Amino acid sequence: MRYHRPRGTQDIPPDEAPRWRFVEKTFRDLCRRFDYGELRTPVFEETELFVRSVGEDTDIVSKEMYTFEDKGGRSLTLRAEGTAPTVRALIEENLQGQDRERLVKMYYVAPIFRQDRPQAGRYRQHHQAGIEAIGSSEPAVDAEIIDLALTFFEELGIEGTRLLINSVGCRDCAPQFVDTLKASVADAVDSMCRDCQRRYDTNPLRLLDCKQEVCREVTENAPMMLDLLCGECECHFDGLREHLEALAIAYEIDARIVRGLDYYTKTAFEFRHEALGAQDSIGGGGRYDELIKQCGGPDLPAVGLGAGIERILMVREALGLRDEDEPRDGSFVVAIGDDAWFPAYRLLHDLRREGVKAEIDYRRRSIRAQMRYADSQGYLNAVLLGGDEIAKGIATVRDMISGEQEEVPLEGLAEYLKERREG
RNA sequence: GUGGGCGUAGCUCAAAGGUAGAGCACCUGACUGUGGCUCAGGUGGCUGUGGGUUCGAUUCCCAUCGCCCACCCCA
């Protein structure tokens, strides 16, 4: 083995690709029903886009980006996250159009690159199915996005998804909260873990989700953002809850959900599944009302979501939801004897042109070997062609499930095979 | 970036200081124009890589690479 795939990446061989296609198809179909349009953006962007939107102090920007310089000396970064490119495209392509009030709804399925240390459920290249709804501050839209995600999981057969919601406030109330939080913890900072001592200065909100026992004790009685929301944010959060309840969506309020990206305002949410290990989040998102303006666009509020395809596949695996074996289909042309080779080769060509999935054994082996191969590879029919058939202008079609055989004239063979597939 | 575990046939795994074995898979045949069951036979491994100890290492030691798991954080 000379070459390896880069650490943290995966090959998806042909026998696994159908699982991916199923998840993607389910998502795309759902997006169509919810009326989200697909947006495709480049795999790399200007580095600054991520730095400025995600935030300099976040883990993503400070240590996880795949950044490189092109020959013109520009700093570029492989897509580290899905929202920033969407916002960039919205502004750059003027996707909003003339109707400033219009709700722009877009989705994407794209690879995401982060240079983390790989572990169960964490890859350096992973894939996210995401949606963004731009142009409304209505909590009904937040709820729609959560609804779409939960419907997505359900249609994939995934049960037992937990929904955690929180509000991280806005430009007005969040800073005040941070001050209050720091004040309440100030006396105990020295007793907290090293990371938290650093966070106290760099990213105080993170103090709340430290898993260290000591730190949890310190923050146990700390103020909660939810208690200090400004009137507007509180109203929005209540509105979200009302809409979720209207849809009979169960949720848990978890004041420690903060999310690792700086642009979130008001709503933050996360989906978790216990079937996974330490990395149990299968999706998450929130509102980013300031981001678009901050990126140089119009002042538009927005909400979005990203779901991890690898983790969804892992949950399906853990729940025993592996797709059933593909049903048998296609025809295997069996050439009987050397004289039958060219007629069989020609028949293969004709069948394919007429819309039939067909294959032949290029090794020109014994009939027994050809039949065994046709069986093990899951073909539905064996189309036998030998001296007898050629003389009569027919082919012998063998049903590989029942073993029944029928002689079929060559002229109608393609149609016959296509019908059999349906039946 | 830090810590722990593991690297033997295509796959899942054994063995043991004296140069490796099973099951599955694959191939051929019994069945001379026919798969799935059965039986017989067969292909396949410089035991991750490089050093060291030893008469001798795949087995012991060191390093290195790779994979896995956990921390941080996220999908």
Side-chain angles (χ1 to χ4, degrees), chain A residues 132-148:
Chain A
E132 313 286 350
I134 297 156
S136 171
S137 54
E138 288 298 324
V141 180
D142 305 41
E144 170 180 291
I145 281 183
I146 289 171
D147 183 34
L148 186 149

Side-chain angles (χ1 to χ4, degrees), chain A residues 173-189 192 196 199-201 203-210 215-216 218-225 228 255-256 258:
Chain A
C173 52
Q176 276 180 34
F177 168 69
V178 169
D179 291 342
T180 313
L181 176 64
K182 288 177 76 169
S184 88
V185 174
D187 294 339
V189 181
M192 300 179 85
C196 279
R199 291 182 185 120
Y200 182 81
D201 294 316
N203 203 342
L205 286 180
R206 292 238 150 271
L207 292 169
L208 294 174
D209 39 37
C210 183
C215 305
R216 295 221 107 146
V218 173
T219 57
E220 187 137 18
N221 299 313
M224 287 288 135
M225 182 72 235
L228 294 168
R256 289 172 185 270
V258 171

Side-chain angles (χ1 to χ4, degrees), chain A residues 9-263:
Chain A
T9 62
Q10 279 185 301
D11 292 316
I12 300 160
D15 62 331
E16 264 170 51
R19 287 195 251 289
W20 282 75
R21 278 202 303 273
F22 173 65
V23 171
E24 287 166 14
K25 182 178 182 303
T26 302
F27 181 69
R28 288 173 192 282
D29 185 59
L30 201 51
C31 286
R32 187 188 60 77
R33 280 183 271 153
F34 277 72
D35 202 20
Y36 286 75
E38 182 178 10
L39 173 70
R40 298 190 183 214
T41 62
V43 260
F44 54 85
E45 295 278 352
E46 290 175 56
T47 299
E48 273 299 295
L49 173 67
F50 295 112
V51 174
R52 294 238 299 273
S53 58
V54 175
E56 202 127 15
D57 287 335
T58 59
D59 283 356
I60 292 179
V61 170
S62 66
K63 55 186 193 191
E64 295 173 3
M65 295 202 301
Y66 275 99
T67 298
F68 59 96
E69 244 182 43
D70 71 5
K71 290 183 178 171
R74 286 170 285 260
S75 181
L76 302 171
T77 295
L78 297 185
R79 176 165 40 226
E81 187 266 337
T83 300
T86 304
V87 167
R88 194 224 80 228
L90 173 95
I91 298 167
E92 183 165 6
E93 311 300 336
N94 189 26
L95 301 175
Q96 182 71 29
Q98 291 305 298
D99 180 356
R100 289 298 180 86
E101 308 285 296
R102 189 172 81 94
L103 181 58
V104 180
K105 296 166 62 171
M106 297 188 285
Y107 80 87
Y108 58 84
V109 177
I112 304 283
F113 303 86
R114 289 179 203 165
Q115 196 161 174
D116 243 3
R117 187 78 170 261
Q119 75 184 73
R122 198 174 59 201
Y123 302 91
R124 289 187 169 181
Q125 174 178 345
H126 77 277
H127 302 262
Q128 284 188 22
I131 59 177
E132 313 286 350
I134 297 156
S136 171
S137 54
E138 288 298 324
V141 180
D142 305 41
E144 170 180 291
I145 281 183
I146 289 171
D147 183 34
L148 186 149
L150 286 169
T151 308
F152 179 39
F153 302 142
E154 265 173 46
E155 293 191 357
L156 292 172
I158 296 172
E159 285 172 19
T161 304
R162 285 172 66 203
L163 164 62
L164 308 176
I165 63 170
N166 188 26
S167 176
V168 297
C170 65
R171 169 175 288 186
D172 295 329
C173 52
Q176 276 180 34
F177 168 69
V178 169
D179 291 342
T180 313
L181 176 64
K182 288 177 76 169
S184 88
V185 174
D187 294 339
V189 181
D190 294 342
S191 69
M192 300 179 85
C193 73
R194 193 175 300 163
D195 284 335
C196 279
Q197 294 185 25
R198 178 178 49 78
R199 291 182 185 120
Y200 182 81
D201 294 316
T202 60
N203 203 342
L205 286 180
R206 292 238 150 271
L207 292 169
L208 294 174
D209 39 37
C210 183
K211 282 157 192 151
Q212 300 285 325
E213 189 72 22
V214 255
C215 305
R216 295 221 107 146
E217 277 171 30
V218 173
T219 57
E220 187 137 18
N221 299 313
M224 287 288 135
M225 182 72 235
L226 285 177
D227 299 325
L228 294 168
L229 293 175
C230 64
E232 188 190 320
C233 288
E234 188 176 2
C235 183
H236 184 88
F237 191 63
D238 290 342
L240 170 62
R241 296 178 59 180
E242 276 174 19
H243 282 88
L244 290 176
E245 280 154 25
L247 301 179
I249 290 173
Y251 61 85
E252 299 163 50
I253 294 173
D254 186 339
R256 289 172 185 270
I257 299 283
V258 171
R259 316 248 80 227
L261 303 94
D262 285 352
Y263 54 64

Side-chain angles (χ1 to χ4, degrees), chain A residues 311-376:
Chain A
R311 291 193 188 164
I312 285 169
L313 287 165
M314 288 172 77
V315 170
R316 279 176 55 80
E317 182 82 34
L319 295 180
L321 294 170
R322 303 195 56 148
D323 310 292
E324 318 229 337
D325 293 333
E326 301 260 314
R328 283 182 174 272
D329 79 325
S331 296
F332 196 84
V333 177
V334 177
I336 300 170
D338 286 344
D339 291 344
W341 172 253
F342 283 106
Y345 189 58
R346 178 58 196 251
L347 176 60
L348 173 73
H349 164 265
D350 291 341
L351 289 176
R352 287 170 167 174
R353 288 207 156 199
E354 288 175 89
V356 174
K357 171 183 171 182
E359 185 53 291
I360 201 165
D361 181 9
Y362 289 102
R363 289 175 288 188
R364 305 173 70 158
R365 294 183 295 172
S366 70
I367 300 154
R368 157 195 284 288
Q370 293 183 64
M371 290 299 289
R372 253 204 291 256
Y373 189 74
D375 181 40
S376 70

